[in-house]
Amino acid sequence: MESSFDEAVLITRPLLPTLQDVTSKLSEVWESKWITNNGFQHQRLESELKSYLNVEYISLFTNGTLALLLGLKSLDLKGEVITTPFTFPATVQALDWNGLTPVFCDIDPETLTIDATKIESLITEKTCAILGVHVFGNPCDVEKIKTIADKYHLKVIYDGAHTFGAKIDGKPISSFGDMTMFSFHATKLFNTVEGGALTFKDEKLVEKLNLLKNFGLAGPEEVVLSGLNAKMNEIQAVIGLEVLKIVEQERQKRHKIKKVYEQNLAHIPGIRILTNLEKDCSSYQYFVIEIDELKYGESRDWIHEELKKYNVYTRKYFYPLCSDFQWYQHLKSAQFSNLPVAQKSVKKVLSMPYYGELDLKSVVKICRIIEDLYISNLGITQKNTKMILS
Ligand SMILES: *Cc1c(COP(=O)(O)O)cnc(C)c1O
């Protein structure tokens, strides 16, 4: 049997540049005495991300949630938006803050993204958009979603918080849909401590988003729309510029970790790896497994608790479903019977420790613990069976 880890193994650690690199860049900011409002570092990060992500237009925000909230606002949407219940609360909360009604659509059992085959039946005359989430970096069925959106004249927005730098068939993931949101939160692969961005194709939105994130101020004495304050500041931008230099190296480390997890978990009955379905480019954001209680012999919740005894802290991403939030209980689409796949999957997913500094021996050890737990369990099940038989 494996022993417990001496130090707690957490699900992630922020990707941090060296303090020295950050301080030398910060001195530029100090000298400029310009610390927010589209400063030099902000402009640099915007242009570097534009080429890194290979996008036409990008707008930076103080966090991903406000990016999505204001991105939806910029599209002048009204009515209902078809979305997924299997996501982080921010996705649907951004709809709430725009006075938009979420219509929950069930998810695909393989990728856990919105099930595009079930979208059409949810469309009403009030539907204005589809908001998909590239869950754990697994891309939504972007082609099918585009076909539906074109047919019914709907906008398509993607929450790409997990898909920094990912591609679909060689194309940047943000080239699909009208708009994609990225989160640069500390827990995301690329971070600016807190931060986010929108990428989009419509040039007209550049100015509108600039207004929306800065109180609608068109000039010192001219307010043209009701905006918010959602600007990224110079300190965030400095962190971003430094993190961007090391993100490729982090990807490579996570690639190795991913392979070790895959090799050591593949043969354990009841364990399915969810984050190996990307078409041609992993996001390396999470490493997520699904536990089939019937085959493994114990539930996801049980493994989650058992692992804590070994000082390993996993997370139930995403749990609970957004459709189960109490303020959506009046929605027909939030009913249990409307979301059979999501209701099943939400009980099975478990996000494993995953960050570049996690050493490969620890990864092997975590896999062995999961295997040992299965085997010891098997013993008990067989004993039980014997007792029942005799
Ligand atoms: C992290 C995350 C967000 C929120 O982004 P913030 O930058 O933390 O505001 C939204 N959606 C998903 C799917 C996320 O994982």
Side-chain angles (χ1 to χ4, degrees), residues 62-66 68 87-88 90-91 133 159-162 181-185 187-188 194-196 286 318:
T62 194
N63 61 54
T65 305
L66 284 172
L68 184 60
T87 183
F88 190 67
T91 316
V133 181
D159 177 336
H162 299 175
M181 177 275 268
F182 292 96
S183 164
F184 305 153
H185 181 255
T187 55
K188 302 302 191 318
E194 293 270 2
Y286 293 115
F318 295 107

Side-chain angles (χ1 to χ4, degrees), residues 122-331:
L122 297 169
I123 294 176
T124 70
E125 70 265 24
K126 288 191 194 143
T127 310
C128 60
I130 299 165
L131 171 55
V133 181
H134 302 304
V135 180
F136 312 138
N138 292 338
C140 294
D141 189 343
V142 291
E143 295 302 337
K144 198 169 275 158
I145 291 174
K146 183 179 182 338
T147 310
I148 299 167
D150 288 349
K151 184 169 163 195
Y152 294 92
H153 309 290
L154 306 175
K155 295 281 183 198
V156 177
I157 303 103
Y158 287 112
D159 177 336
H162 299 175
T163 50
F164 185 78
K167 297 187 179 100
I168 303 177
D169 298 329
K171 289 186 206 137
I173 199 148
S174 50
S175 56
F176 301 91
D178 294 283
M179 194 173 258
T180 302
M181 177 275 268
F182 292 96
S183 164
F184 305 153
H185 181 255
T187 55
K188 302 302 191 318
L189 174 70
F190 169 76
N191 84 87
T192 57
V193 185
E194 293 270 2
L198 287 174
T199 61
F200 48 95
K201 294 170 204 150
D202 182 358
E203 194 190 347
K204 288 196 289 295
L205 292 179
V206 176
E207 194 43 40
K208 194 161 183 189
L209 289 168
N210 282 337
L211 290 169
L212 281 168
K213 67 179 160 186
N214 192 28
F215 315 100
L217 281 167
E221 297 178 10
E222 197 188 2
V223 186
V224 295
L225 51 78
S226 184
L228 272 179
N229 181 4
K231 304 182 298 291
M232 177 180 281
N233 66 50
E234 290 291 273
I235 319 286
Q236 287 175 292
V238 160
I239 304 285
L241 286 163
E242 290 305 315
V243 174
L244 198 56
K245 290 183 192 158
I246 52 173
V247 85
E248 219 38 63
Q249 183 190 320
E250 174 73 8
R251 268 180 207 281
Q252 281 164 24
K253 288 185 190 162
R254 290 190 186 200
H255 178 75
K256 284 193 192 138
I257 295 170
K258 186 171 187 247
K259 290 289 150 215
V260 173
Y261 265 131
E262 284 170 359
Q263 281 158 9
N264 290 281
L265 288 175
H267 62 283
I268 307 175
I271 304 287
R272 178 168 87 94
I273 294 152
L274 276 169
T275 33
N276 59 356
L277 305 164
E278 304 95 339
K279 292 214 172 113
D280 58 5
C281 176
S282 175
S283 67
Y284 300 110
Q285 171 63 53
Y286 293 115
F287 188 87
V288 188
I289 59 172
E290 202 177 65
I291 295 118
D292 182 329
E293 188 172 350
L294 283 179
K295 291 188 192 139
Y296 184 80
E298 287 288 354
S299 68
R300 181 273 313 272
D301 288 351
W302 183 86
I303 295 192
H304 174 73
E305 289 305 318
E306 280 302 302
L307 285 172
K308 283 186 196 169
K309 297 180 187 164
Y310 290 86
N311 228 354
V312 176
Y313 295 86
T314 55
R315 285 290 296 267
K316 303 174 195 176
Y317 279 146
F318 295 107
Y319 177 86
L321 290 179
C322 292
S323 49
D324 286 338
F325 296 161
Q326 39 103 3
W327 65 96
Y328 294 134
Q329 290 320 292
H330 65 289
L331 296 177

Side-chain angles (χ1 to χ4, degrees), residues 23-203:
T23 358
S24 70
K25 200 43 113 349
L26 277 179
S27 57
E28 284 178 32
V29 177
W30 256 243
E31 274 160 36
S32 76
K33 304 201 190 321
W34 188 300
I35 57 175
T36 187
N37 287 65
N38 197 27
F40 180 63
Q41 309 296 338
H42 180 286
Q43 289 169 27
R44 260 174 77 185
L45 181 62
E46 215 164 53
S47 92
E48 288 200 15
L49 284 175
K50 211 159 146 176
S51 59
Y52 187 91
L53 297 172
N54 194 2
V55 293
E56 279 168 86
Y57 300 106
I58 187 165
S59 189
L60 304 182
F61 289 83
T62 194
N63 61 54
T65 305
L66 284 172
L68 184 60
L69 194 158
L70 294 176
L72 292 163
K73 176 92 177 166
S74 73
L75 297 172
D76 289 321
L77 302 172
K78 277 184 192 63
E80 298 174 353
V81 175
I82 299 175
T83 191
T84 170
F86 191 75
T87 183
F88 190 67
T91 316
V92 286
Q93 286 167 344
L95 294 174
D96 293 346
W97 280 84
N98 275 286
L100 294 160
T101 306
V103 174
F104 295 108
C105 179
D106 206 6
I107 59 172
D108 177 87
E110 284 294 305
T111 64
L112 308 193
T113 61
I114 191 166
D115 184 346
T117 65
K118 292 184 182 161
I119 291 176
E120 220 166 345
S121 66
L122 297 169
I123 294 176
T124 70
E125 70 265 24
K126 288 191 194 143
T127 310
C128 60
I130 299 165
L131 171 55
V133 181
H134 302 304
V135 180
F136 312 138
N138 292 338
C140 294
D141 189 343
V142 291
E143 295 302 337
K144 198 169 275 158
I145 291 174
K146 183 179 182 338
T147 310
I148 299 167
D150 288 349
K151 184 169 163 195
Y152 294 92
H153 309 290
L154 306 175
K155 295 281 183 198
V156 177
I157 303 103
Y158 287 112
D159 177 336
H162 299 175
T163 50
F164 185 78
K167 297 187 179 100
I168 303 177
D169 298 329
K171 289 186 206 137
I173 199 148
S174 50
S175 56
F176 301 91
D178 294 283
M179 194 173 258
T180 302
M181 177 275 268
F182 292 96
S183 164
F184 305 153
H185 181 255
T187 55
K188 302 302 191 318
L189 174 70
F190 169 76
N191 84 87
T192 57
V193 185
E194 293 270 2
L198 287 174
T199 61
F200 48 95
K201 294 170 204 150
D202 182 358
E203 194 190 347

